[in-house]
Amino acid sequence: MSPFVKSISVIFLTGLLLVRALVVPAILMDFELRKDYIIKYYCENRNRPELHCDGKCYLAKKLKATQESQEKEASQRLLTQVLEVPDQLSHWQFTFEAPDFESTAVPFPFFYHRFFPSAEKNGLFRPPRP
């Protein structure tokens, strides 16, 4: 893969992550910018000003809908991952064989005894006798 394609891919994926992370701040900014319009046309309590809702009901609904859609998307992604894994594993075969230690035994190299004198057979340190 060429470095140009890699850099474009990194930029694209970073952009997707930023868009996903900035959904809630974008909703809050939209609410602050259009607060008067939302209070006048979208607020559920616009006919009862003594409640001092000031469009917060509309904001709460938008944030709740965004959170629910993100949770739904996450649960769907988890379900697809869980359901697709057994399908992928069905094509693989796992076999386990006990290793043959006698055939794979490698004698210590000659220089090992120079660094670790306890490795000598007649040395001071040796395993206990049965």
Side-chain angles (χ1 to χ4, degrees):
M1 190 180 263
S2 71
F4 178 72
V5 174
K6 285 183 181 179
S7 62
I8 295 296
S9 300
V10 167
I11 290 170
F12 178 72
L13 292 174
T14 304
L16 285 177
L17 288 173
L18 284 175
V19 166
R20 182 164 173 86
L22 295 176
V23 169
V24 172
I27 291 173
L28 292 172
M29 187 175 68
D30 177 53
F31 174 74
E32 288 299 323
L33 291 175
R34 300 183 322 136
K35 192 171 190 175
D36 294 332
Y37 183 79
I38 291 171
I39 292 170
K40 188 174 182 181
Y41 293 105
Y42 292 120
C43 185
E44 293 177 1
N45 300 319
R46 62 181 172 259
N47 297 329
R48 298 181 356 194
E50 67 274 359
L51 294 177
H52 300 289
C53 177
D54 297 329
K56 293 177 186 169
C57 55
Y58 175 78
L59 177 64
K61 281 185 176 181
K62 287 290 242 186
L63 291 174
K64 185 177 179 183
T66 303
Q67 181 182 8
E68 287 175 355
S69 67
Q70 287 178 349
E71 288 174 357
K72 183 179 176 184
E73 181 182 323
S75 66
Q76 286 177 347
R77 186 173 43 240
L78 177 68
L79 281 176
T80 57
Q81 288 175 353
V82 167
L83 294 177
E84 288 177 4
V85 167
D87 183 46
Q88 294 170 354
L89 291 178
S90 66
H91 301 292
W92 295 351
Q93 286 185 336
F94 296 103
T95 58
F96 298 101
E97 297 177 10
D100 186 16
F101 290 110
E102 294 176 350
S103 64
T104 59
V106 177
F108 290 120
F110 68 92
F111 59 84
Y112 182 78
H113 298 288
R114 282 187 285 160
F115 295 114
F116 301 101
S118 64
E120 294 182 19
K121 294 181 182 177
N122 297 327
L124 180 63
F125 299 106
R126 59 181 171 263
R129 294 183 185 157

